[in-house]
């Protein structure tokens, strides 16, 4: 007879404060990110920081080095007791360094919203956090994908590139908005909207 074995079981922490939300109307002039594919639910407050991989500096042959740099920025944010939005190309946490950045959860544990994006020469096969599923779901971390040249999803990289830099490494930049970002995640429809008001 066939036998079914459980390889791994992890408890999921139930969150009773999750509400039904809707991203509402979208103002392109005030939109940092809009995604139509992802995980996460609720309204996130008190976040102004965005840490992102500079697309002009990204090197798909250096993803392990980029992962080490992200870990450095995450440790700094942990020391400051601040959460942030993390943006980068390809799949976060992949074991294949040629499809994304091979970070572990500890490398970006202070990220509250994680965004995977595609580039012209680095297409995105979105993971939707499958390898971080326990952490993403139990901590209600937003995890969203922005395919390259998508007609529906978008991220305003031009805005991020023009902002004053708080700190930067060889591949990574850290910017901070003057006011809190408005982050709305609609888990039922798998959509998310991040707006800014300067």
């Amino acid at each position: 007879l066939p036998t079914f074995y459980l390889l791994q079981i992890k408890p999921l922490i139930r969150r009773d404060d999750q509400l039904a939300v809707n991203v509402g109307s979208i103002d392109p002039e005030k939109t940092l990110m809009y995604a139509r594919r992802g995980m996460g639910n609720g309204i996130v407050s008190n976040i102004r920081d965005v840490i992102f991989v500079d697309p002009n500096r990204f090197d798909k042959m250096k993803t392990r080095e980029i992962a080490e740099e992200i870990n450095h920025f995450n440790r700094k944010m942990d020391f400051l007791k601040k959460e942030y939005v993390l943006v980068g190309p390809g799949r976060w946490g992949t074991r294949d360094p040629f499809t994304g950045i091979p970070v572990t959860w500890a490398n970006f544990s202070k990220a509250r919203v994680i965004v995977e994006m595609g580039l012209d020469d680095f297409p995105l096969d979105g993971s939707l956090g499958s390898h971080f599923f326990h952490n993403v779901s139990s901590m209600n971390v937003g995890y969203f994908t922005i395919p390259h040249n998508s007609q529906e999803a978008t991220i305003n990289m031009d805005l991020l590139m023009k902002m004053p830099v708080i700190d930067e490494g060889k591949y990574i930049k850290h910017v901070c908005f003057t006011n809190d970002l408005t982050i709305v995640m609609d888990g039922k429809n798998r959509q998310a909207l991040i707006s800014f008001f300067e």
Side-chain angles (χ1 to χ4, degrees):
L1 292 172
T3 305
F4 177 73
Y5 294 97
L6 293 175
L7 177 62
Q8 188 177 63
I9 299 177
K10 293 183 179 181
L12 296 180
I13 302 170
R14 180 185 171 94
R15 295 179 59 99
D16 293 323
D17 59 344
Q18 292 185 359
L19 304 173
V21 297
N22 190 296
V23 297
S25 60
I26 300 168
D27 180 357
E29 297 296 319
K30 299 293 183 183
T31 298
L32 175 60
M33 184 212 74
Y34 174 65
R36 298 195 63 174
R37 185 168 176 237
M39 300 169 61
N41 189 76
I43 298 172
V44 181
S45 305
N46 303 317
I47 292 185
R48 300 183 181 190
D49 297 271
V50 179
I51 294 174
F52 66 97
V53 179
D54 184 339
N56 299 322
R57 301 181 183 178
F58 176 70
D59 184 342
K60 59 187 174 183
M61 304 300 292
K62 302 288 187 180
T63 56
R64 289 190 176 94
E65 191 175 332
I66 295 171
E68 292 174 6
E69 198 167 282
I70 289 169
N71 184 56
H72 166 76
F73 278 85
N74 189 73
R75 287 202 311 268
K76 182 186 75 169
M77 298 302 281
D78 189 26
F79 176 78
L80 296 173
K81 301 188 184 311
K82 296 176 71 176
E83 295 180 314
Y84 60 95
V85 175
L86 177 64
V87 180
R91 296 182 63 171
W92 287 111
T94 178
R95 293 185 180 186
D96 181 355
F98 298 105
T99 61
I101 301 173
V103 289
T104 64
W105 182 261
N107 297 144
F108 60 103
S109 58
K110 296 301 290 183
R112 190 65 176 82
V113 176
I114 302 162
V115 181
E116 298 177 332
M117 58 179 279
L119 298 177
D120 185 34
D121 60 346
F122 201 71
L124 171 64
D125 176 20
S127 64
L128 291 179
S130 56
H131 39 303
F132 298 124
F133 181 79
H134 178 259
N135 306 77
V136 168
S137 58
S138 64
M139 299 178 192
N140 196 29
V141 172
Y143 205 117
F144 298 92
T145 61
I146 310 291
H148 182 62
N149 285 336
S150 171
Q151 299 300 310
E152 298 178 333
T154 182
I155 185 160
N156 193 340
M157 290 305 297
D158 290 340
L159 170 69
L160 292 178
M161 294 294 291
K162 291 176 183 176
M163 290 187 65
V165 176
I166 302 296
D167 192 9
E168 66 181 312
K170 185 176 180 180
Y171 305 100
I172 310 295
K173 288 186 177 180
H174 174 194
V175 299
C176 185
F177 285 79
T178 304
N179 300 309
D180 290 352
L181 294 167
T182 300
I183 303 174
V184 181
M185 304 184 297
D186 178 356
K188 182 177 181 180
N189 296 302
R190 300 173 63 195
Q191 300 180 20
L193 176 66
I194 303 179
S195 303
F196 63 92
F197 301 92
E198 295 295 301

